[in-house]
Amino acid sequence: MTDKLLPCPFCGGDPEQDYQRSFRWLKDGRLDHGAAIYCTFCNADMIMCRGDHPELSDEERMAIMVENWNRRADHARQTTGSAGGPTYLDFITPDEIFEKGPDAVKKWQAAKLVELLGPSAA
Ligand SMILES: [Zn+2]
């Protein structure tokens, strides 16, 4: 199951969910798992550990994580007009397009967005 996630608040990359992210507790070395959301491009990452919230199901933990991720992503979009800082699109735009100037960059990135997200991104 995949909830609707906004793009990464740091780079605009695609996020993924993991309901059973494994981790090891620092204090006693025990293995546990939690609900995690992470960016597939810049590795921005958030996790809610099962041990910290044993009263919640995996689905409830993930619902809280989705809400937190989307609130941060939405805040970033509202305050900066984009994801803030260089975006995923900036990283994948070829150097020769940047050399042609800002208009060429805007045109190339708009076309790439449509290619990645479909016509509704235009
Ligand atoms: Zn990112």
Side-chain angles (χ1 to χ4, degrees):
M1 178 185 135
T2 301
D3 293 295
K4 182 70 185 162
L5 290 168
L6 294 173
C8 174
F10 301 103
C11 77
D14 291 331
E16 285 194 357
Q17 294 167 269
D18 185 348
Y19 284 75
Q20 300 282 323
R21 162 81 63 78
S22 295
F23 70 94
R24 188 176 296 280
W25 286 86
L26 293 175
K27 60 185 176 187
D28 58 13
R30 145 179 77 93
L31 279 173
D32 200 347
H33 74 263
I37 298 175
Y38 58 95
C39 173
T40 58
F41 187 72
C42 77
N43 285 330
D45 187 287
M46 52 170 51
I47 182 168
M48 180 180 279
C49 307
R50 182 178 63 178
D52 287 339
H53 296 278
E55 75 283 7
L56 301 176
S57 69
D58 289 344
E59 288 73 23
E60 288 169 328
R61 270 188 291 278
M62 182 55 80
I64 291 169
M65 296 303 289
V66 168
E67 196 182 318
N68 289 348
W69 178 275
N70 284 345
R71 184 172 52 244
R72 178 67 199 258
D74 196 44
H75 178 72
R77 284 199 308 193
Q78 284 179 17
T79 54
T80 67
S82 73
T87 66
Y88 173 66
L89 284 171
D90 293 330
F91 282 108
I92 65 172
T93 302
D95 288 344
E96 55 266 27
I97 300 297
F98 276 112
E99 286 161 13
K100 291 178 182 172
D103 288 345
V105 171
K106 267 187 207 160
K107 190 176 166 192
W108 188 91
Q109 291 186 348
K112 192 67 180 179
L113 215 50
V114 169
E115 183 187 319
L116 292 171
L117 301 176
S120 63

